[in-house]
Amino acid sequence: MVDPDQRFFVAEQHGKVIAFMRLRIDDRFFGRACEMDTVSVAPDFRNQKIGRTLMDEAERFAREEGAIAMRVNVLSVNESGRRFYEDLGYEVVAHRYAKDLD
């Protein structure tokens, strides 16, 4: 599948992927936004500023694409993920609800 509004960023070490993220540029009612819905750093490489470096690149990319906002999703139970984004200056702007259908 080819989606010109979607990008994947990866961090590699010795030819092996150690982190990645997926971004999508979307035109919203308030303007152009960059939605980052996936970021993952391999456990052995966490706390080495790799995620922060990927986020810096994501924000640079978003600005180049004309985005006026960057949005991320994180589960409410993911305390370290929430702290990560808050340390980068992100704020809670919405609540997302879910329901198991078992």
Side-chain angles (χ1 to χ4, degrees):
M1 292 176 26
V2 176
D3 182 347
D5 294 323
Q6 183 170 272
R7 295 288 191 284
F8 289 89
F9 287 55
V10 298
E12 297 178 322
Q13 186 176 72
H14 306 297
K16 188 174 188 176
V17 174
I18 58 171
F20 75 94
M21 70 172 22
R22 183 174 62 164
L23 307 170
R24 180 174 174 76
I25 299 293
D26 284 316
D27 290 313
R28 301 292 185 151
F29 70 91
F30 58 82
R32 192 161 245 232
C34 184
E35 301 274 340
M36 194 280 296
D37 63 1
T38 302
V39 63
S40 181
V41 178
D44 291 346
F45 296 93
R46 292 183 183 155
N47 300 310
Q48 298 179 31
K49 300 200 185 286
I50 295 167
R52 181 176 295 265
T53 300
L54 283 174
M55 289 301 295
D56 289 344
E57 284 301 306
E59 291 176 10
R60 180 196 56 74
F61 165 75
R63 284 185 194 95
E64 287 177 359
E65 293 295 313
I68 62 170
M70 183 85 176
R71 296 179 153 222
V72 301
N73 293 312
V74 62
L75 293 173
S76 59
V77 297
N78 184 349
E79 291 181 27
S80 64
R82 291 191 348 253
R83 263 192 319 276
F84 172 74
Y85 295 117
E86 290 167 5
D87 287 348
L88 292 174
Y90 288 79
E91 299 175 349
V92 175
V93 296
H95 294 277
R96 186 173 187 182
Y97 291 88
K99 178 180 178 181
D100 288 337
L101 299 176
D102 53 339

